[in-house]
Amino acid sequence: QTCALPIYLAKDLAASATLRGKLIADTDVSSLNFNIDVVNGTIYLSGIAANAAEMNRVVAHAQEVRFTRRVVNYIMLSTDKRY
């Protein structure tokens, strides 16, 4: 008996792995500072960015990932007083 993943779950896992790889490969992004959750094609980003440029790079990478329907950005800047 085989246990096949539902196709949406497989796509979410692929999107998450792809994005993590893009962040690791980008020398202008500190990938360990970001969390990635993918649910039904929606990528949820959270974490702390050093500046707006780093946050924008992470969001741009997420928008380029195959099977992505939407990107929700919860990233905070390190200069944010709430941090």
Side-chain angles (χ1 to χ4, degrees):
Q1 168 171 313
T2 60
C3 180
L5 290 174
I7 192 68
Y8 67 88
L9 183 56
K11 287 180 178 181
D12 288 349
L13 290 171
S16 180
T18 299
L19 180 54
R20 180 58 65 192
K22 286 176 176 275
L23 297 185
I24 290 169
D26 189 333
T27 57
D28 293 326
V29 172
S30 181
S31 63
L32 293 177
N33 290 343
F34 301 99
N35 295 312
I36 302 165
D37 291 303
V38 184
V39 180
N40 295 330
T42 298
I43 298 178
Y44 295 90
L45 301 170
S46 61
I48 306 296
N51 51 48
E54 183 181 38
M55 178 182 68
N56 292 337
R57 288 183 72 80
V58 172
V59 171
H61 283 308
Q63 291 170 335
E64 295 169 355
V65 172
R66 191 172 176 206
F67 306 125
T68 300
R69 293 181 180 173
R70 191 171 86 137
V71 175
V72 178
N73 179 9
Y74 292 117
I75 297 170
M76 294 178 64
L77 299 179
S78 61
T79 57
D80 192 321
K81 301 293 185 207
R82 294 173 292 173
Y83 169 61

